[in-house]
Amino acid sequence: INAEYMGCAGAVPFGAAFIELYFILSSLWLNKFYYVFGFFAIVLTILIVTCAEISIVLVYFQLCYEDYRWWWRSAMYSGSSGLYLFIYSVYYLTSTLNLHHFSSLVLYFGYMGLLSGTLFVTTGTIGFLASWLFVRYIYSALKVD
């Protein structure tokens, strides 16, 4: 499995939370009130399930190709959605925000870098744990005589 799959795999969890992300960034950077916490809980659940599913599917394909180095790749598959968040934050900056001072840009990219890194680690952990449980389950069914 090539590195292209890692980048494309992050688009699926990011796409699941894309619309809600606009409202979250607007509440952070434009001082708008965020009041749709029920919908956020649904989107968060969809994001968790999507991260787990995409990592399990790609680890399964990787194991079918007899490549057993799945540990770090399982985290990278779903964790690459953090990269998509950072790319979207650049788009959000150019389309919505009017930040022209250097200090404002450093602050914005610093916070968005931290947020993207946190999303990378969180979704990567979800993908790894789901893949780990999946691999334990499929290999526990093997009987060696």
Side-chain angles (χ1 to χ4, degrees):
I1 302 252
N2 296 335
E4 296 93 31
Y5 292 122
M6 288 185 203
C8 293
V12 177
F14 177 77
F18 172 71
I19 299 299
E20 192 68 19
L21 190 60
Y22 173 78
F23 296 111
I24 292 170
L25 290 179
S26 294
S27 70
L28 284 175
W29 298 109
L30 296 176
N31 294 327
K32 291 187 177 179
F33 186 70
Y34 185 78
Y35 54 88
V36 203
F37 292 107
F39 188 67
F40 177 71
I42 293 169
V43 169
L44 184 64
T45 304
I46 292 171
L47 177 71
I48 290 170
V49 169
T50 307
C51 288
E53 286 178 348
I54 197 72
S55 290
I56 287 171
V57 167
L58 289 175
V59 165
Y60 177 74
F61 287 151
Q62 186 175 345
L63 292 175
C64 285
Y65 288 124
E66 297 180 1
D67 184 6
Y68 299 104
R69 297 171 297 173
W70 61 271
W71 293 79
W72 285 104
R73 290 182 186 174
S74 65
M76 297 294 171
Y77 290 145
S78 58
S80 61
S81 60
L83 177 65
Y84 281 95
L85 173 63
F86 192 76
I87 292 169
Y88 179 73
S89 70
V90 172
Y91 170 75
Y92 185 81
L93 173 69
T94 58
S95 67
T96 307
L97 299 178
N98 291 324
L99 299 178
H100 299 293
H101 298 292
F102 179 73
S103 60
S104 299
L105 291 173
V106 168
L107 185 69
Y108 176 76
F109 283 121
Y111 279 128
M112 290 311 296
L114 287 173
L115 190 62
S116 300
T118 303
L119 183 71
F120 179 87
V121 170
T122 304
T123 56
T125 303
I126 291 167
F128 171 75
L129 291 175
S131 299
W132 181 67
L133 290 172
F134 170 73
V135 170
R136 282 184 52 100
Y137 179 74
I138 64 172
Y139 282 123
S140 68
L142 291 176
K143 301 217 187 259
V144 179
D145 291 331

